[in-house]
């Protein structure tokens, strides 16, 4: 069933207080929050806290180019990207990096450009699908969210969190939930982590 997407944009957090940072990370890992953006550089302290919690991972630096100078609202019904088109458009399509409820943390510091991360909750049709299967299962939902502002509610809940990240800001979320990244200003260059709980 198709439904209009309800976009929720959490306010950017303008404090770098360590206790506030830790409380939000705890809330993300236990599913109380989908994600958040800090206005300042809390990248290193977020990694330190993730490691204190028993998560392990590393840092990867990426640069994402794109072929159009527009936001996600630049898509329309005539745009039907295939799987191989997304990177050139500056979009990382909907996918998940773990099973439902996994304790995973992604921490991303934006060095240049600007981008948005859309975070959704699984619907009944994909609740048990593996991360590899979701790249195909959610292809049409990626197109429809960007082109029409709609979603198949069998696949995804219609309430979607959107984190808008600009240069110098840090985004934190749990990538076990279906998510996608959309470049708003290129080139988008970020340091990003993938921290998982090996005890799962």
């Amino acid at each position: 069933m198709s439904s209009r997407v309800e976009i929720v944009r959490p306010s950017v957090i303008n404090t770098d207080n360590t206790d506030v940072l830790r409380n939000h990370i705890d809330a993300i890992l236990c599913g109380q929050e989908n994600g958040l953006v800090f206005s300042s550089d809390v990248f290193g302290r977020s990694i330190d806290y993730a490691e204190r919690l028993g998560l392990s991972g590393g840092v990867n630096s990426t640069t994402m180019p794109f072929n159009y100078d527009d936001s996600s609202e630049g898509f329309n019904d005539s745009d039907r990207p295939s799987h191989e088109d997304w990177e050139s458009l500056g979009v990382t399509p909907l996918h998940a990096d773990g099973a439902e409820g996994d304790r995973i943390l992604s921490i991303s510091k934006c060095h240049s450009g600007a981008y948005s991360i859309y975070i959704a909750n699984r619907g009944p049709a994909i609740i048990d699908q593996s991360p590899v299967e979701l790249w195909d299962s959610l292809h049409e939902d990626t197109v429809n969210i960007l082109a029409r502002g709609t979603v198949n509610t069998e696949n995804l809940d219609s309430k979607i969190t959107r984190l808008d990240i600009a240069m110098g800001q840090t985004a934190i979320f749990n990538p076990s939930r279906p998510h996608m990244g959309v470049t708003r200003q290129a080139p988008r260059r970020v340091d990003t982590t993938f921290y998982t709980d090996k005890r799962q």
Side-chain angles (χ1 to χ4, degrees), residues 53-67:
L53 293 174
L55 282 72
S56 59
V59 179
N60 181 38
S61 295
T62 60
T63 299
M64 174 72 81
F66 67 149
N67 286 345

Side-chain angles (χ1 to χ4, degrees), residues 52-198:
R52 278 188 54 190
L53 293 174
L55 282 72
S56 59
V59 179
N60 181 38
S61 295
T62 60
T63 299
M64 174 72 81
F66 67 149
N67 286 345
Y68 65 95
D69 187 14
D70 210 335
S71 69
S72 59
E73 287 77 22
F75 283 94
N76 57 53
D77 276 338
S78 65
D79 295 316
R80 306 302 294 179
S82 59
H83 289 280
E84 61 271 14
D85 294 329
W86 288 119
E87 184 173 358
S88 68
L89 295 171
V91 175
T92 304
L94 281 165
H95 67 288
D97 297 310
E100 179 74 5
D102 279 357
R103 280 170 51 90
I104 306 174
L105 203 61
S106 178
I107 308 160
S108 299
K109 178 184 175 184
C110 184
H111 290 284
S112 65
Y115 63 105
S116 298
I117 298 173
Y118 294 70
I119 308 164
N121 293 309
R122 286 173 170 84
I126 64 166
I127 196 74
D128 295 321
Q129 286 191 7
S130 72
V132 172
E133 292 174 304
L134 292 180
W135 287 101
D136 291 326
S137 299
L138 294 175
H139 177 79
E140 286 301 311
D141 287 297
T142 299
V143 174
N144 289 333
I145 288 170
L146 296 179
R148 300 177 184 167
T150 63
V151 70
N152 177 352
T153 54
E154 284 297 302
N155 289 337
L156 299 172
D157 190 278
S158 60
K159 191 172 184 177
I160 294 177
T161 298
R162 174 175 161 168
L163 307 179
D164 293 325
I165 306 105
M167 188 168 63
Q169 296 181 333
T170 305
I172 306 172
F173 70 102
N174 182 335
S176 71
R177 294 185 173 182
H179 61 281
M180 67 175 163
V182 179
T183 303
R184 301 194 325 273
Q185 180 183 345
R188 160 181 136 202
R189 186 169 69 85
V190 301
D191 286 341
T192 188
T193 71
F194 184 75
Y195 274 81
T196 61
D197 190 342
K198 298 298 185 184

